[in-house]
Amino acid sequence: MPVSPLAPAAFPDLPVIDGVRFATAMAGVKYKNRTDVMLAELAEGSTIAGVFTRSATRSANVLDCQAKNGKTQAGRAAIIVNSGNSNAFTGGRGVEAVDALCAGVAEQMGIDADRVFTSSTGVIGEPLPYERITAKIGELVDNLDPVGIAPAAKAIMTTDTFPKGASTTITVDGKPVKIAGIAKGSGMIAPDMATMLVYIFTDAKIGYDALQQALSQLTDRTFNCITVDSDTSTSDTLLIGATGASGVDVTGNDDFVAALHDVMLDLSHQVVRDGEGASKFVEITVTGAQDDQDAFKVAMATANSPLVKTAIAGEDANWGRVVMAVGKSGAYADRDKLSIRFGDIVVAENGWRAPNYSEDDASAYMKNQNLVIGVDLGLGSGKATVWTCDLTYEYIRINADYRS
Amino acid sequence: MPVSPLAPAAFPDLPVIDGVRFATAMAGVKYKNRTDVMLAELAEGSTIAGVFTRSATRSANVLDCQAKNGKTQAGRAAIIVNSGNSNAFTGGRGVEAVDALCAGVAEQMGIDADRVFTSSTGVIGEPLPYERITAKIGELVDNLDPVGIAPAAKAIMTTDTFPKGASTTITVDGKPVKIAGIAKGSGMIAPDMATMLVYIFTDAKIGYDALQQALSQLTDRTFNCITVDSDTSTSDTLLIGATGASGVDVTGNDDFVAALHDVMLDLSHQVVRDGEGASKFVEITVTGAQDDQDAFKVAMATANSPLVKTAIAGEDANWGRVVMAVGKSGAYADRDKLSIRFGDIVVAENGWRAPNYSEDDASAYMKNQNLVIGVDLGLGSGKATVWTCDLTYEYIRINADYRS
């Protein structure tokens, strides 16, 4: 698989988060000759929070994580993740696999099984050969390393064409607080409360309730605002671990929330930029809606429309399809108050093509790799922004030609 | 454009409906060297009813039809339809175009403008050069012919690869009652209360209220149960004209409703069979849901899932993606009560792959052109059936490579 044309130039230089160590291994769950398991250890005193898919058919791993989320913050914690098999829709075998992984990590690390979180990503409905993973736990524990986050980002990839990482450092009370995260995901991307697999680490000191609240709120503005193909994964999981190693308590600190937002937004955009077959990165901004919910409906209807997405792939300034998407969204709209922009170019307003509309200008704009489509409903102050990619031959090839 | 591989062998031999005459013309609205306008005249005494898109950005034609629907059944009536331009999102110019078409037909046919219904289909947002059509009204009126329904089916085509027609004849009180209809549509197909352009004619005698009620109910079981690409047209219109020429009053007659259902279902399936790029016709049947609404949600989530549709295109028995679609649908589902069938093959049950599952059998089944995917939620008696097609390279080519 060639790397997405929308990929960042290089994997970022992520800072070491004190209190977190990583290891990876080649367990051969499905892929050969590459790492497919990562283990993260979080030091005693770490707070862990998470958000998860709302899919009614979510995996045994997700159900287990949800049951443990917020239960205890005592002692060290661990996150173990495999790629190649999602352990979703595997019935009692799925629960057995999760229990075996948690028991194995808990025993070999000497921690409480309630502090072990698991994720699996890959094909749905195949039994997870978890023995291949438990056989590697000893090796993983031996290799735990504070600088191992970049290899961890690689080990969790499936159809991803590049590993995804983002970080930021802020100063609170004169002391640095660091946040670093990694993510995987490129297809089955239309998160509902969380997305794909995302792991974020910080040395901030913060209690569970405050951390969970920030995470849930920010998810609605980041990962819940992206879509590749309107399909929602059975395995979406975002976990954050705050080790407190900086000694800085960020409870109620707005700068920390803003910094966490930046890392989450960066990672969510990287997921779109690795959207299966993507050749364009598209921001859709809706303003002037009756309320924010209506704005979000219009933005997502546009972002998920196959006709809009294929027009973008074809570099066709086919704004009529945006009109269609507004119309089908279910949001209140008045055709004659609607205006549409491609970048800075007003293509339609007052219920018709803009008087100065130039097809040549609009077509030239569509040749850009990063596009902004603006829709103003002219009704109120509701607004929303979402991010998506185009729909190309390559998406069909990836998803029609082999089982992923 | 080659004809869809799912097309019927030939256009059906539609019966003459007494009281209806057709004409077509080459107005050159957009297409050259082909008919692009059809006119239908309905004799005095005809009842006309309709259902229309609920899109918030519906065209001036749809708004005009909705205003006239049920207003008067006095005198002769007319339906004039052009292809090549949808007259949607054309502001005041759109209203002007509809008014000009209605005035022209009313004047030259000597009928009430409230009995003239118009539809336009094609590109969105371009002004309709209606003068090209009004210039042809005289020729159309002169050429009205009771046997002209087949050419009419051709004149309304846009990206359709074959004309669509269906008919049935039933006996009521010892006398024959005929129903014949035509339809167009192949992309932007996810109807909401109506679909595409559909015109049905019958010589039955029936009042407006009874006809409208039957039409609305049947639409929910036929055209509202199909999807090609989840996108809803701005122009969807279904009009039915009952001339009463058979002398048979079918008010309250269940056989007539059943016969009308058959014609509508046949036409709706033909629209799916001409879905852009379609190579497989897929029926999705959901049973065992808490209620019919939940069943419909699951069926449509499956039918609209790009990952399910590309797997079908690739002849991949990827039932894990059906599990995913059930999960994201928003319907209540219990993973461990769910079962999935491809044709007669049980692929998953009790929250896991079926014990006798054979990948070879399932893969062999997927090579069929007509597929049935069955989902049983194991919860209640709610059920729904919808029809769709696969998502292929050809869909991308059609929609990315030129403006339709």
Side-chain angles (χ1 to χ4, degrees):
Chain A
M1 276 306 274
V3 172
S4 167
L6 306 177
F11 188 79
D13 193 14
L14 300 181
V16 168
I17 305 296
D18 286 338
V20 191
R21 296 193 299 163
F22 301 89
T24 59
M26 291 195 272
V29 170
K30 181 184 175 195
Y31 310 122
K32 305 295 171 201
N33 304 317
R34 56 156 276 192
T35 56
D36 59 355
V37 181
M38 82 115 185
L39 176 68
E41 176 206 50
L42 291 109
E44 187 164 350
S46 294
T47 304
I48 294 184
V51 284
F52 306 92
T53 182
R54 286 198 293 203
S55 167
T57 56
R58 51 196 182 272
S59 70
N61 309 64
V62 171
L63 293 167
D64 184 65
C65 284
Q66 287 183 297
K68 292 172 176 173
N69 185 25
K71 203 169 170 186
T72 172
Q73 308 296 337
R76 282 177 298 141
I79 301 171
I80 185 164
V81 184
N82 74 272
S83 55
N85 185 310
S86 74
N87 194 37
F89 208 69
T90 48
R93 286 285 294 266
V95 177
E96 181 187 316
V98 172
D99 289 348
L101 290 170
C102 290
V105 171
E107 188 185 331
Q108 298 199 44
M109 288 182 67
I111 63 176
D112 184 347
D114 277 344
R115 289 280 271 173
V116 181
F117 297 85
T118 70
S119 303
S120 296
T121 177
V123 68
I124 295 171
E126 297 291 326
L128 175 67
Y130 61 84
E131 307 86 353
R132 297 182 198 171
I133 303 171
T134 51
K136 295 285 179 178
I137 293 174
E139 176 190 324
L140 285 161
V141 173
D142 289 345
N143 291 336
L144 284 166
D145 182 346
V147 299
I149 194 168
K154 280 192 177 175
I156 63 176
M157 289 166 63
T158 56
T159 54
D160 304 64
T161 71
F162 62 88
K164 297 163 189 71
S167 73
T168 193
T169 300
I170 56 169
T171 303
V172 178
D173 299 338
K175 290 185 194 166
V177 173
K178 298 171 195 159
I179 305 173
I182 57 175
K184 68 79 53 180
S186 61
M188 210 175 274
I189 303 292
D192 186 13
M193 287 310 286
T195 184
M196 305 129 297
L197 301 183
V198 186
Y199 306 97
I200 300 174
F201 305 95
T202 174
D203 53 11
K205 190 171 172 183
I206 182 168
Y208 173 75
D209 290 345
L211 186 61
Q212 181 67 46
Q213 188 185 8
L215 190 67
S216 297
Q217 285 175 355
L218 295 174
T219 297
D220 277 343
R221 290 162 51 199
T222 55
F223 289 104
N224 279 358
C225 290
I226 65 171
T227 180
V228 167
D229 53 11
S230 79
D231 279 340
T232 301
S233 162
T234 48
S235 306
D236 292 345
T237 294
L238 188 167
L239 289 169
I240 183 167
T243 66
S246 66
V248 181
D249 193 326
V250 298
T251 310
N253 184 296
D254 290 341
D255 290 345
F256 175 76
V257 174
L260 181 56
H261 171 265
D262 290 349
V263 169
M264 290 170 67
L265 192 67
D266 188 339
L267 289 172
S268 70
H269 285 190
Q270 288 187 55
V271 170
V272 174
R273 288 181 174 278
D274 206 9
E276 287 173 341
S279 73
K280 307 271 187 189
F281 178 79
V282 188
E283 175 175 298
I284 296 170
T285 299
V286 177
T287 51
Q290 273 193 334
D291 51 39
D292 289 353
Q293 288 72 32
D294 260 18
F296 188 73
K297 278 185 198 168
V298 169
M300 274 296 182
T302 308
N304 281 326
S305 161
L307 289 171
V308 171
K309 292 162 88 82
T310 49
I312 293 168
E315 302 186 334
D316 179 2
N318 196 330
W319 56 268
R321 293 182 180 173
V322 178
V323 173
M324 177 281 299
V326 172
K328 78 163 182 170
S329 69
Y332 183 73
D334 179 337
R335 194 191 54 190
D336 297 337
K337 290 183 178 167
L338 180 62
S339 64
I340 299 169
R341 286 170 192 261
F342 285 177
D344 293 330
I345 304 167
V346 179
V347 294
E349 60 184 350
N350 300 322
W352 197 34
R353 205 167 62 184
N356 299 323
Y357 176 73
S358 151
E359 179 86 12
D360 286 349
D361 289 352
S363 295
Y365 178 73
M366 298 305 288
K367 298 202 180 299
N368 289 304
Q369 199 172 56
N370 295 300
L371 298 170
V372 178
I373 296 178
V375 175
D376 190 282
L377 295 172
L379 298 168
S381 59
K383 59 187 167 44
T385 300
V386 306
W387 296 272
T388 190
C389 55
D390 53 347
L391 174 59
T392 65
Y393 286 99
E394 197 60 15
Y395 181 89
I396 308 288
R397 195 188 67 70
I398 293 167
N399 288 299
D401 289 3
Y402 62 85
R403 184 87 52 105
S404 64
Chain B
M1 274 307 273
V3 172
S4 167
L6 307 176
F11 189 80
D13 195 13
L14 301 181
V16 168
I17 306 296
D18 287 338
V20 190
R21 297 193 299 164
F22 300 90
T24 60
M26 292 194 270
V29 170
K30 181 184 175 193
Y31 309 123
K32 306 296 171 198
N33 305 316
R34 56 157 277 194
T35 57
D36 58 355
V37 181
M38 82 116 184
L39 176 69
E41 176 207 51
L42 292 110
E44 188 163 348
S46 295
T47 304
I48 294 183
V51 283
F52 307 92
T53 181
R54 287 199 292 203
S55 167
T57 55
R58 51 197 183 273
S59 70
N61 308 64
V62 170
L63 292 168
D64 184 66
C65 284
Q66 288 182 295
K68 291 172 177 172
N69 184 25
K71 202 168 170 187
T72 172
Q73 307 297 336
R76 283 178 296 142
I79 300 170
I80 185 163
V81 184
N82 73 272
S83 56
N85 184 311
S86 74
N87 195 37
F89 209 68
T90 47
R93 286 284 297 264
V95 176
E96 181 187 316
V98 172
D99 289 348
L101 289 170
C102 290
V105 171
E107 187 186 331
Q108 298 199 45
M109 290 181 67
I111 63 176
D112 184 347
D114 278 344
R115 290 281 272 172
V116 182
F117 296 84
T118 71
S119 303
S120 296
T121 177
V123 68
I124 295 171
E126 297 290 327
L128 175 66
Y130 61 84
E131 307 87 353
R132 296 182 197 170
I133 304 172
T134 51
K136 294 285 179 178
I137 293 174
E139 176 190 323
L140 286 160
V141 173
D142 288 346
N143 290 339
L144 284 165
D145 181 348
V147 300
I149 193 168
K154 280 192 178 175
I156 63 175
M157 290 165 63
T158 56
T159 53
D160 304 64
T161 71
F162 62 88
K164 298 163 190 71
S167 73
T168 192
T169 300
I170 56 169
T171 304
V172 179
D173 301 338
K175 291 185 193 165
V177 174
K178 298 170 194 159
I179 306 173
I182 57 176
K184 70 80 52 182
S186 60
M188 212 176 270
I189 304 291
D192 185 13
M193 287 308 285
T195 185
M196 303 129 297
L197 302 183
V198 186
Y199 306 97
I200 300 175
F201 306 95
T202 174
D203 53 10
K205 191 172 171 180
I206 182 168
Y208 172 76
D209 290 345
L211 187 61
Q212 181 67 45
Q213 189 186 9
L215 190 68
S216 296
Q217 284 175 356
L218 295 174
T219 297
D220 277 345
R221 290 163 50 200
T222 54
F223 288 102
N224 279 358
C225 290
I226 65 172
T227 181
V228 166
D229 53 10
S230 79
D231 278 340
T232 302
S233 163
T234 47
S235 306
D236 292 346
T237 295
L238 189 167
L239 289 169
I240 183 166
T243 66
S246 66
V248 182
D249 192 327
V250 298
T251 309
N253 184 293
D254 290 342
D255 290 345
F256 174 76
V257 174
L260 180 57
H261 171 264
D262 290 349
V263 170
M264 288 171 67
L265 192 66
D266 188 339
L267 289 172
S268 71
H269 285 190
Q270 288 188 54
V271 171
V272 174
R273 288 181 174 279
D274 206 7
E276 288 172 342
S279 73
K280 308 270 189 189
F281 179 80
V282 188
E283 176 174 297
I284 296 170
T285 298
V286 177
T287 52
Q290 273 192 334
D291 52 40
D292 290 353
Q293 288 72 31
D294 261 16
F296 187 73
K297 277 185 200 168
V298 170
M300 273 294 180
T302 308
N304 280 326
S305 160
L307 290 170
V308 171
K309 292 162 87 81
T310 49
I312 293 168
E315 301 185 335
D316 177 3
N318 196 331
W319 56 268
R321 293 182 180 174
V322 178
V323 172
M324 177 280 301
V326 172
K328 77 163 182 170
S329 68
Y332 184 74
D334 179 338
R335 193 191 55 191
D336 296 337
K337 291 183 177 168
L338 181 62
S339 64
I340 298 169
R341 285 170 191 262
F342 286 177
D344 293 330
I345 304 167
V346 180
V347 294
E349 60 185 350
N350 301 323
W352 197 35
R353 207 167 60 183
N356 298 324
Y357 176 74
S358 151
E359 178 86 14
D360 287 348
D361 290 352
S363 295
Y365 177 73
M366 297 305 287
K367 297 202 180 301
N368 289 305
Q369 198 171 58
N370 294 301
L371 298 170
V372 178
I373 296 178
V375 175
D376 190 284
L377 295 173
L379 299 168
S381 59
K383 60 186 166 47
T385 300
V386 306
W387 297 273
T388 191
C389 55
D390 53 346
L391 174 59
T392 65
Y393 286 100
E394 197 61 12
Y395 180 88
I396 308 287
R397 197 188 64 72
I398 293 167
N399 288 299
D401 289 3
Y402 62 84
R403 184 86 53 104
S404 64

